[in-house]
Amino acid sequence: MALLSDALSNLTPQQREIFQLKEKDNLTLESIAKLKKITRQAVQQHYHAAMKKLRDFYSQYPFFLEFFPTLEGGGAK
């Protein structure tokens, strides 16, 4: 859990919130956009930036990617 906390601390508050809404709460980008009252494109940009930062962080810990395959790549839906 400490590793996850460290990784999430590298995100901006907006990136962290959007990442958690998508990954933890399983909301779609459209749902997050409505909830946050921002465009879907803005949500997508924050989410992709968060994923890039998390991938970069976890590239130091390849074993972790086995538990979080979402971080290995792929797009947001």
Side-chain angles (χ1 to χ4, degrees):
M1 287 306 277
L3 194 57
L4 178 59
S5 180
D6 287 348
L8 292 175
S9 72
N10 289 320
L11 304 179
T12 67
Q14 186 85 312
Q15 290 169 346
R16 186 172 32 259
E17 182 179 14
I18 287 170
F19 176 80
Q20 290 177 327
L21 287 169
K22 177 143 179 27
E23 297 298 325
K24 183 180 175 193
D25 298 336
N26 296 314
L27 295 180
T28 65
L29 297 180
E30 291 81 9
S31 298
I32 297 168
K34 288 179 185 174
L35 179 69
K36 303 279 296 159
K37 297 182 174 134
I38 59 177
T39 67
R40 183 195 183 284
Q41 290 78 16
V43 172
Q44 188 171 16
Q45 288 172 348
H46 289 298
Y47 180 75
H48 283 295
M51 291 299 286
K52 181 177 179 345
K53 284 183 181 179
L54 292 171
R55 280 187 205 107
D56 290 348
F57 179 87
Y58 284 118
S59 68
Q60 304 168 59
Y61 309 97
F63 67 89
F64 195 83
L65 294 176
E66 293 177 28
F67 299 102
F68 293 94
T70 325
L71 295 176
E72 287 188 290
K77 295 188 171 81

